[in-house]
Amino acid sequence: MTKIPLNTRDLEASQLVYGCMGLGGADWSNRTEYTAEDVKEAHAAVEAALAIGINMFDHANIYKSGKAEQVFGEVLKERKHLRDQIILQSKCGIRFADELAPFTRFDYSKDYILDCVDGILSRLGIETLDILLLHRPDILMEPEEVAEAFDHLLSEGKVRHFGVSNMSASQMDFLQSYLDMPIVVNQMEMSLYRHSFADSVVNINQDTSLRDYFPEGTIEYCRTEDIQLQAWGPLAQGLYTGRPIDKENHAVHVTAAKIADYAEQKNTTPEAILLAWLMRHPAHIQPVIGTRNPARIEACRDAEKVSLTREEWYDLLISARGNAMP
Protein backbone atom coordinates (compact mmCIF):
# COMPACT_ATOMS: atom_id res chain seq x y z
CA MET A 1 0.00 0.00 0.00
CA THR A 2 1.28 3.46 -0.92
CA LYS A 3 2.49 5.49 2.04
CA ILE A 4 1.45 9.11 2.61
CA PRO A 5 3.99 11.45 4.23
CA LEU A 6 2.14 13.32 6.98
CA ASN A 7 3.17 16.97 6.95
CA THR A 8 6.58 16.83 8.65
CA ARG A 9 7.50 13.91 6.36
CA ASP A 10 8.71 11.63 9.17
CA LEU A 11 5.52 9.58 9.38
CA GLU A 12 4.94 7.31 6.40
CA ALA A 13 1.31 6.28 6.77
CA SER A 14 -0.79 3.87 4.73
CA GLN A 15 -3.61 5.57 2.88
CA LEU A 16 -6.12 3.38 4.70
CA VAL A 17 -6.31 3.80 8.48
CA TYR A 18 -7.81 1.25 10.84
CA GLY A 19 -10.25 2.86 13.27
CA CYS A 20 -10.38 1.09 16.62
CA MET A 21 -13.67 2.46 17.94
CA GLY A 22 -15.35 -0.95 17.66
CA LEU A 23 -12.77 -2.82 19.74
CA GLY A 24 -13.20 -3.57 23.43
CA GLY A 25 -16.62 -5.20 23.48
CA ALA A 26 -20.12 -3.86 23.00
CA ASP A 27 -20.48 -1.82 26.19
CA TRP A 28 -19.50 1.85 26.06
CA SER A 29 -19.88 2.35 29.80
CA ASN A 30 -17.04 2.21 32.31
CA ARG A 31 -18.98 -0.26 34.45
CA THR A 32 -17.69 -3.37 32.68
CA GLU A 33 -14.27 -4.84 31.94
CA TYR A 34 -13.04 -6.14 28.62
CA THR A 35 -12.85 -9.90 28.19
CA ALA A 36 -10.43 -12.43 26.72
CA GLU A 37 -12.80 -12.72 23.77
CA ASP A 38 -12.54 -8.95 23.21
CA VAL A 39 -8.74 -9.25 23.11
CA LYS A 40 -9.00 -12.15 20.67
CA GLU A 41 -11.29 -10.07 18.45
CA ALA A 42 -8.77 -7.19 18.54
CA HIS A 43 -5.95 -9.54 17.50
CA ALA A 44 -8.00 -10.73 14.54
CA ALA A 45 -8.88 -7.20 13.43
CA VAL A 46 -5.30 -5.93 13.74
CA GLU A 47 -3.96 -8.95 11.87
CA ALA A 48 -6.48 -8.41 9.07
CA ALA A 49 -5.56 -4.72 8.85
CA LEU A 50 -1.84 -5.46 8.72
CA ALA A 51 -2.44 -8.10 6.04
CA ILE A 52 -3.86 -5.51 3.62
CA GLY A 53 -1.01 -3.07 4.23
CA ILE A 54 -2.47 -0.80 6.93
CA ASN A 55 0.14 0.59 9.31
CA MET A 56 -1.86 3.38 10.98
CA PHE A 57 -4.34 2.84 13.81
CA ASP A 58 -6.79 5.42 15.11
CA HIS A 59 -8.07 5.57 18.70
CA ALA A 60 -9.83 7.96 21.07
CA ASN A 61 -9.80 7.95 24.85
CA ILE A 62 -13.61 7.70 24.93
CA TYR A 63 -13.93 4.63 22.69
CA LYS A 64 -15.69 2.03 24.85
CA SER A 65 -14.67 4.22 27.82
CA GLY A 66 -11.02 3.32 27.29
CA LYS A 67 -11.51 -0.40 26.68
CA ALA A 68 -10.68 -0.06 22.97
CA GLU A 69 -7.23 1.25 23.87
CA GLN A 70 -6.84 -1.36 26.60
CA VAL A 71 -7.43 -4.33 24.30
CA PHE A 72 -5.12 -2.80 21.71
CA GLY A 73 -2.54 -2.50 24.46
CA GLU A 74 -2.94 -6.22 25.08
CA VAL A 75 -2.28 -6.84 21.40
CA LEU A 76 0.91 -4.79 21.61
CA LYS A 77 2.06 -6.76 24.66
CA GLU A 78 1.75 -10.03 22.78
CA ARG A 79 3.30 -8.70 19.55
CA LYS A 80 6.51 -7.23 20.90
CA HIS A 81 7.81 -5.70 17.66
CA LEU A 82 4.50 -4.31 16.40
CA ARG A 83 4.82 -0.89 18.05
CA ASP A 84 7.86 -0.02 15.95
CA GLN A 85 6.02 -0.93 12.73
CA ILE A 86 2.86 1.15 13.15
CA ILE A 87 1.62 4.69 13.64
CA LEU A 88 -0.66 5.23 16.64
CA GLN A 89 -3.09 8.11 16.79
CA SER A 90 -5.58 8.93 19.52
CA LYS A 91 -7.95 11.74 20.46
CA CYS A 92 -9.18 13.61 23.49
CA GLY A 93 -11.52 16.50 24.20
CA ILE A 94 -14.94 14.86 24.51
CA ARG A 95 -15.80 14.40 28.17
CA PHE A 96 -18.57 11.98 29.12
CA ALA A 97 -20.75 12.33 32.23
CA ASP A 98 -18.64 11.96 35.37
CA GLU A 99 -18.48 13.04 39.00
CA LEU A 100 -18.38 16.70 37.94
CA ALA A 101 -21.37 16.74 35.60
CA PRO A 102 -24.11 14.29 34.51
CA PHE A 103 -23.77 15.16 30.82
CA THR A 104 -21.33 15.05 27.92
CA ARG A 105 -19.36 18.22 27.15
CA PHE A 106 -16.05 19.27 25.59
CA ASP A 107 -12.86 20.11 27.45
CA TYR A 108 -9.64 21.52 25.97
CA SER A 109 -8.24 22.71 29.30
CA LYS A 110 -4.54 22.10 29.78
CA ASP A 111 -4.92 19.82 32.78
CA TYR A 112 -7.58 17.71 31.09
CA ILE A 113 -5.52 17.25 27.92
CA LEU A 114 -2.47 16.24 29.95
CA ASP A 115 -4.49 13.81 32.08
CA CYS A 116 -6.07 12.30 28.97
CA VAL A 117 -2.71 11.67 27.32
CA ASP A 118 -1.36 9.98 30.44
CA GLY A 119 -4.40 7.72 30.38
CA ILE A 120 -4.01 6.96 26.67
CA LEU A 121 -0.34 6.05 27.07
CA SER A 122 -1.12 3.85 30.07
CA ARG A 123 -3.95 1.98 28.36
CA LEU A 124 -1.95 1.40 25.19
CA GLY A 125 1.15 0.51 27.18
CA ILE A 126 3.39 2.86 25.21
CA GLU A 127 5.68 5.77 26.05
CA THR A 128 4.99 8.01 23.06
CA LEU A 129 1.88 8.64 20.97
CA ASP A 130 2.60 9.46 17.34
CA ILE A 131 -0.34 11.86 16.86
CA LEU A 132 -2.82 13.41 19.31
CA LEU A 133 -6.02 14.86 17.87
CA LEU A 134 -8.41 17.22 19.60
CA HIS A 135 -11.76 15.45 19.35
CA ARG A 136 -14.46 17.96 18.28
CA PRO A 137 -14.13 21.69 19.05
CA ASP A 138 -14.51 22.97 22.60
CA ILE A 139 -16.68 26.11 22.59
CA LEU A 140 -14.79 27.35 25.67
CA MET A 141 -11.35 26.66 24.20
CA GLU A 142 -8.53 28.88 25.44
CA PRO A 143 -5.92 28.42 22.69
CA GLU A 144 -3.13 29.52 25.01
CA GLU A 145 -3.91 26.54 27.25
CA VAL A 146 -3.94 24.15 24.32
CA ALA A 147 -0.56 25.51 23.20
CA GLU A 148 0.86 25.06 26.70
CA ALA A 149 -0.42 21.49 26.83
CA PHE A 150 1.02 20.67 23.42
CA ASP A 151 4.38 22.23 24.28
CA HIS A 152 4.52 20.20 27.49
CA LEU A 153 3.60 16.93 25.79
CA LEU A 154 6.17 17.50 23.05
CA SER A 155 8.96 18.42 25.46
CA GLU A 156 8.17 15.40 27.65
CA GLY A 157 8.30 13.11 24.64
CA LYS A 158 4.74 11.91 25.18
CA VAL A 159 3.37 13.05 21.81
CA ARG A 160 5.22 13.55 18.53
CA HIS A 161 2.62 15.41 16.44
CA PHE A 162 -0.75 17.08 16.84
CA GLY A 163 -3.97 17.36 14.89
CA VAL A 164 -7.69 18.01 15.17
CA SER A 165 -10.98 16.35 14.38
CA ASN A 166 -14.17 17.90 13.03
CA MET A 167 -12.73 21.42 12.71
CA SER A 168 -13.38 24.06 10.07
CA ALA A 169 -10.71 26.05 8.26
CA SER A 170 -11.25 29.11 10.45
CA GLN A 171 -11.08 27.05 13.64
CA MET A 172 -7.84 25.41 12.55
CA ASP A 173 -6.36 28.74 11.46
CA PHE A 174 -7.25 30.30 14.81
CA LEU A 175 -5.73 27.45 16.81
CA GLN A 176 -2.63 27.24 14.61
CA SER A 177 -1.87 30.92 15.27
CA TYR A 178 -1.12 29.97 18.90
CA LEU A 179 0.89 26.82 18.22
CA ASP A 180 4.61 26.38 17.65
CA MET A 181 4.05 23.08 15.85
CA PRO A 182 1.95 22.38 12.75
CA ILE A 183 -1.48 20.80 12.79
CA VAL A 184 -0.85 17.64 10.76
CA VAL A 185 -4.31 16.00 10.56
CA ASN A 186 -7.97 16.96 10.41
CA GLN A 187 -10.43 14.07 10.68
CA MET A 188 -13.93 14.74 9.31
CA GLU A 189 -16.95 12.63 8.43
CA MET A 190 -16.74 12.05 4.68
CA SER A 191 -18.24 9.31 2.54
CA LEU A 192 -20.32 8.82 -0.56
CA TYR A 193 -23.36 8.97 1.72
CA ARG A 194 -22.16 11.96 3.74
CA HIS A 195 -21.02 13.81 0.63
CA SER A 196 -21.41 17.40 1.80
CA PHE A 197 -17.64 17.82 1.55
CA ALA A 198 -18.13 17.59 -2.23
CA ASP A 199 -21.38 19.54 -2.34
CA SER A 200 -19.83 22.43 -0.41
CA VAL A 201 -17.51 23.06 -3.36
CA VAL A 202 -20.24 23.40 -6.00
CA ASN A 203 -23.09 24.78 -3.90
CA ILE A 204 -21.53 28.22 -3.57
CA ASN A 205 -24.19 30.85 -4.32
CA GLN A 206 -26.89 28.16 -4.35
CA ASP A 207 -29.85 27.90 -1.99
CA THR A 208 -28.76 24.36 -1.15
CA SER A 209 -25.56 25.73 0.43
CA LEU A 210 -27.66 26.70 3.43
CA ARG A 211 -28.14 23.02 4.18
CA ASP A 212 -24.48 21.99 3.86
CA TYR A 213 -23.05 20.77 7.14
CA PHE A 214 -19.47 20.61 5.82
CA PRO A 215 -17.73 23.97 6.42
CA GLU A 216 -16.86 25.82 3.24
CA GLY A 217 -13.13 26.14 2.54
CA THR A 218 -12.02 23.36 4.89
CA ILE A 219 -10.66 21.05 2.20
CA GLU A 220 -8.90 23.92 0.45
CA TYR A 221 -7.34 25.09 3.73
CA CYS A 222 -6.08 21.60 4.54
CA ARG A 223 -4.57 21.22 1.08
CA THR A 224 -2.92 24.64 1.26
CA GLU A 225 -1.51 24.08 4.74
CA ASP A 226 -0.48 20.46 4.12
CA ILE A 227 -2.91 19.09 6.70
CA GLN A 228 -3.83 15.47 6.08
CA LEU A 229 -7.58 14.95 5.69
CA GLN A 230 -8.91 11.76 7.22
CA ALA A 231 -12.45 10.49 6.67
CA TRP A 232 -14.32 8.80 9.48
CA GLY A 233 -17.36 6.72 8.55
CA PRO A 234 -16.13 6.16 4.95
CA LEU A 235 -18.12 2.93 4.52
CA ALA A 236 -21.34 4.55 5.78
CA GLN A 237 -21.94 1.70 8.24
CA GLY A 238 -22.51 -0.76 5.41
CA LEU A 239 -25.32 1.23 3.80
CA TYR A 240 -24.15 0.45 0.26
CA THR A 241 -22.39 -2.84 0.95
CA GLY A 242 -24.95 -5.27 2.30
CA ARG A 243 -26.80 -3.68 5.19
CA PRO A 244 -30.62 -3.99 4.90
CA ILE A 245 -31.91 -0.89 3.10
CA ASP A 246 -35.62 -1.69 2.80
CA LYS A 247 -36.58 1.53 4.57
CA GLU A 248 -34.01 3.74 2.85
CA ASN A 249 -34.82 6.28 0.13
CA HIS A 250 -34.66 5.69 -3.63
CA ALA A 251 -31.20 7.28 -3.97
CA VAL A 252 -29.69 4.76 -1.55
CA HIS A 253 -31.14 1.82 -3.50
CA VAL A 254 -29.94 3.18 -6.85
CA THR A 255 -26.48 3.97 -5.49
CA ALA A 256 -26.06 0.56 -3.85
CA ALA A 257 -26.91 -1.05 -7.18
CA LYS A 258 -24.42 1.17 -9.03
CA ILE A 259 -21.67 0.32 -6.56
CA ALA A 260 -22.39 -3.38 -6.97
CA ASP A 261 -22.23 -2.98 -10.77
CA TYR A 262 -18.93 -1.11 -10.63
CA ALA A 263 -17.52 -3.74 -8.28
CA GLU A 264 -18.46 -6.49 -10.73
CA GLN A 265 -17.06 -4.57 -13.71
CA LYS A 266 -13.75 -3.96 -11.96
CA ASN A 267 -13.57 -7.41 -10.36
CA THR A 268 -13.47 -6.09 -6.82
CA THR A 269 -15.71 -5.49 -3.81
CA PRO A 270 -18.30 -2.79 -3.08
CA GLU A 271 -16.17 -1.72 -0.11
CA ALA A 272 -13.20 -1.11 -2.40
CA ILE A 273 -15.36 1.00 -4.73
CA LEU A 274 -16.60 3.17 -1.85
CA LEU A 275 -13.10 3.76 -0.53
CA ALA A 276 -11.65 4.32 -3.99
CA TRP A 277 -14.28 7.02 -4.53
CA LEU A 278 -12.94 8.94 -1.54
CA MET A 279 -9.31 8.26 -2.40
CA ARG A 280 -9.85 9.54 -5.95
CA HIS A 281 -10.14 13.04 -4.50
CA PRO A 282 -6.96 15.08 -5.12
CA ALA A 283 -6.66 15.82 -1.38
CA HIS A 284 -5.45 12.20 -0.96
CA ILE A 285 -8.02 11.56 1.75
CA GLN A 286 -7.23 8.82 4.26
CA PRO A 287 -10.35 6.72 4.92
CA VAL A 288 -10.57 5.41 8.50
CA ILE A 289 -12.29 2.03 8.30
CA GLY A 290 -13.90 0.84 11.53
CA THR A 291 -15.29 -2.63 10.96
CA ARG A 292 -14.25 -5.39 13.38
CA ASN A 293 -15.03 -8.09 10.83
CA PRO A 294 -11.78 -9.49 9.34
CA ALA A 295 -13.60 -10.48 6.14
CA ARG A 296 -14.87 -6.96 5.66
CA ILE A 297 -11.41 -5.55 6.38
CA GLU A 298 -10.09 -7.89 3.69
CA ALA A 299 -12.80 -6.58 1.34
CA CYS A 300 -11.09 -3.17 1.51
CA ARG A 301 -7.80 -4.54 0.15
CA ASP A 302 -8.24 -3.39 -3.44
CA ALA A 303 -9.26 0.19 -2.65
CA GLU A 304 -5.96 1.70 -3.72
CA LYS A 305 -5.82 -0.36 -6.92
CA VAL A 306 -9.30 0.57 -8.13
CA SER A 307 -9.25 3.30 -10.75
CA LEU A 308 -12.34 5.48 -11.17
CA THR A 309 -12.63 7.83 -14.11
CA ARG A 310 -13.88 11.36 -13.60
CA GLU A 311 -17.19 10.30 -15.15
CA GLU A 312 -17.53 7.28 -12.86
CA TRP A 313 -16.74 9.44 -9.83
CA TYR A 314 -19.41 11.99 -10.72
CA ASP A 315 -21.84 9.23 -11.62
CA LEU A 316 -21.65 7.90 -8.06
CA LEU A 317 -21.88 11.36 -6.49
CA ILE A 318 -24.94 12.34 -8.55
CA SER A 319 -26.57 9.03 -7.68
CA ALA A 320 -25.91 9.51 -3.95
CA ARG A 321 -27.19 13.09 -4.11
CA GLY A 322 -30.41 11.93 -5.72
CA ASN A 323 -30.33 14.88 -8.12
CA ALA A 324 -28.16 16.43 -10.80
CA MET A 325 -25.30 18.82 -10.16
CA PRO A 326 -26.35 22.49 -9.92
Side-chain angles (χ1 to χ4, degrees):
M1 185 173 291
T2 300
K3 298 297 187 292
I4 298 176
L6 298 180
N7 197 296
T8 52
R9 303 293 186 261
D10 67 340
L11 293 177
E12 294 290 329
S14 52
Q15 190 162 3
L16 288 183
V17 178
Y18 184 72
C20 299
M21 184 175 71
L23 303 182
D27 187 5
W28 275 73
S29 78
N30 57 11
R31 295 185 296 272
T32 61
E33 301 290 334
Y34 64 88
T35 67
E37 188 60 30
D38 297 330
V39 175
K40 182 179 178 181
E41 182 181 60
H43 272 289
V46 170
E47 181 60 38
L50 293 171
I52 66 169
I54 291 175
N55 77 336
M56 188 170 188
F57 295 82
D58 175 74
H59 291 271
N61 67 325
I62 63 168
Y63 291 165
K64 306 297 175 65
S65 292
K67 293 190 286 289
E69 290 176 331
Q70 286 178 302
V71 297
F72 199 94
E74 295 289 351
V75 172
L76 292 177
K77 283 180 187 177
E78 296 183 36
R79 301 178 64 125
K80 299 297 185 183
H81 303 295
L82 181 59
R83 177 66 189 99
D84 295 333
Q85 301 167 9
I86 62 175
I87 297 169
L88 285 177
Q89 169 179 284
S90 194
K91 315 178 201 70
C92 71
I94 298 177
R95 191 165 188 171
F96 286 160
D98 55 22
E99 67 280 359
L100 296 179
F103 47 77
T104 297
R105 66 277 193 201
F106 309 110
D107 193 340
Y108 282 7
S109 62
K110 177 182 177 180
D111 288 344
Y112 188 66
I113 292 173
L114 297 181
D115 286 346
C116 284
V117 171
D118 285 342
I120 290 166
L121 296 177
S122 176
R123 288 187 292 273
L124 290 173
I126 61 176
E127 296 181 354
T128 303
L129 186 67
D130 293 309
I131 309 174
L132 175 70
L133 306 187
L134 297 177
H135 200 177
R136 294 196 179 278
D138 176 13
I139 305 165
L140 300 180
M141 177 183 74
E142 297 286 353
E144 299 90 346
E145 279 200 55
V146 175
E148 289 177 9
F150 284 7
D151 285 341
H152 179 82
L153 292 168
L154 190 63
S155 65
E156 291 287 308
K158 293 181 177 181
V159 179
R160 296 174 64 193
H161 302 287
F162 301 89
V164 297
S165 179
N166 306 294
M167 275 199 186
S168 69
S170 58
Q171 289 169 327
M172 285 183 284
D173 193 42
F174 175 61
L175 177 60
Q176 183 66 78
S177 68
Y178 288 85
L179 301 178
D180 292 329
M181 67 287 292
I183 293 171
V184 301
V185 167
N186 185 20
Q187 190 177 114
M188 303 283 285
E189 184 178 15
M190 293 182 282
S191 69
L192 184 58
Y193 181 66
R194 297 289 275 182
H195 51 259
S196 240
F197 77 96
D199 288 342
S200 67
V201 177
V202 296
N203 281 347
I204 300 299
N205 206 32
Q206 302 284 330
D207 289 342
T208 49
S209 68
L210 300 176
R211 298 194 297 271
D212 284 345
Y213 81 95
F214 198 92
E216 177 190 334
T218 298
I219 287 182
E220 292 81 1
Y221 179 84
C222 288
R223 293 179 69 183
T224 300
E225 299 300 322
D226 203 13
I227 297 170
Q228 178 63 51
L229 275 164
Q230 294 177 348
W232 62 269
L235 294 173
Q237 293 74 51
L239 187 66
Y240 300 126
T241 56
R243 194 178 93 193
I245 56 174
D246 295 347
K247 297 181 180 179
E248 299 294 338
N249 62 35
H250 180 67
V252 170
H253 285 263
V254 172
T255 306
K258 278 185 178 291
I259 289 170
D261 287 344
Y262 277 128
E264 184 175 0
Q265 292 171 26
K266 296 177 185 294
N267 193 30
T268 188
T269 63
E271 288 87 353
I273 296 294
L274 269 180
L275 296 172
W277 185 83
L278 270 176
M279 294 159 68
R280 171 67 173 78
H281 193 282
H284 303 294
I285 295 167
Q286 275 186 301
V288 182
I289 62 172
T291 177
R292 301 189 303 275
N293 185 335
R296 195 158 181 240
I297 296 171
E298 164 66 23
C300 300
R301 178 188 292 272
D302 290 345
E304 190 178 33
K305 301 175 185 176
V306 172
S307 177
L308 294 176
T309 67
R310 180 180 292 267
E311 288 68 33
E312 290 169 338
W313 192 91
Y314 272 104
D315 181 35
L316 289 171
L317 175 60
I318 291 167
S319 177
R321 283 165 54 92
N323 52 64
M325 303 303 294

